[in-house]
């Protein structure tokens, strides 16, 4: 059985922006069978009115929900945000899930530089000199 794709705009027009956001947050990118009457699970998720409206529009159909709400920003945007926050290339790579080299490349192309990290102070020996 094929699914009918429903855009976020259309979903919002049907059941309201908040109910559409909730539905896509929990089920975005998945198909959802919409019965002729609202299921208890659907009612508990988006409320009786929205569930009833959805069933009236798509009774007995599978709909494919949009996943726009659950997408992460592109990696380049995440790298730029981290560099602006002062993270090192190593910290950017760990947080974003890219390579240090990619972080360096983005920094070079955008003119952003990571905040230099201070070196740890040298350990002192018992007599006050460096170890």
């Amino acid at each position: 059985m094929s699914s009918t794709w429903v855009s976020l705009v259309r979903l919002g027009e049907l059941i309201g922006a908040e109910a559409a956001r909730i539905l896509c947050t929990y089920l975005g990118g998945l198909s959802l069978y919409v019965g002729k009457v609202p299921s208890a699970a659907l009612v508990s998720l988006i409320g009786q009115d929205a569930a009833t409206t959805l069933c009236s529009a798509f009774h007995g159909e599978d709909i494919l929900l949009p996943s726009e709400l659950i997408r992460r920003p592109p990696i380049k945007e995440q790298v730029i945000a981290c560099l602006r926050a002062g993270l090192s290339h190593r910290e950017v790579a760990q947080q974003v899930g890219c390579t240090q080299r990619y972080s360096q490349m983005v920094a070079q192309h955008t003119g952003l530089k990571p905040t230099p990290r201070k070196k740890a102070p040298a350990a002192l020996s018992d007599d006050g000199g460096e170890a």
Side-chain angles (χ1 to χ4, degrees):
M1 179 180 221
S2 66
S3 298
T4 303
W5 185 79
V6 181
S7 72
L8 186 58
V9 172
R10 176 73 176 127
L11 199 57
E13 290 170 352
L14 281 171
I15 63 174
E18 182 63 15
R21 184 192 63 77
I22 291 169
L23 193 60
C24 291
T25 296
Y26 289 99
L27 300 171
L30 302 175
S31 65
L32 171 70
Y33 176 74
V34 180
K36 293 182 181 183
V37 294
S39 67
L42 187 61
V43 170
S44 68
L45 189 62
I46 61 173
Q48 182 67 46
D49 292 341
T52 301
T53 302
L54 196 63
C55 289
S56 295
F58 299 104
H59 57 281
E61 287 185 56
D62 275 314
I63 61 171
L64 185 57
L65 298 170
S67 61
E68 288 94 18
L69 297 175
I70 58 174
R71 284 195 185 144
R72 292 176 53 188
I75 288 179
K76 184 176 181 181
E77 290 178 20
Q78 294 178 59
V79 169
I80 290 170
C82 289
L83 289 171
R84 285 186 176 144
L87 276 71
S88 69
H89 291 302
R90 180 180 180 85
E91 292 167 329
V92 171
Q94 288 174 325
Q95 184 168 332
V96 173
C98 66
T99 63
Q100 284 181 239
R101 184 171 182 259
Y102 182 73
S103 176
Q104 292 165 344
M105 183 186 73
V106 170
Q108 182 180 13
H109 288 167
T110 59
L112 295 170
K113 298 191 191 283
T115 302
R117 299 293 176 210
K118 295 179 183 175
K119 292 184 179 178
L124 297 176
S125 64
D126 290 338
D127 64 358
E130 288 190 35

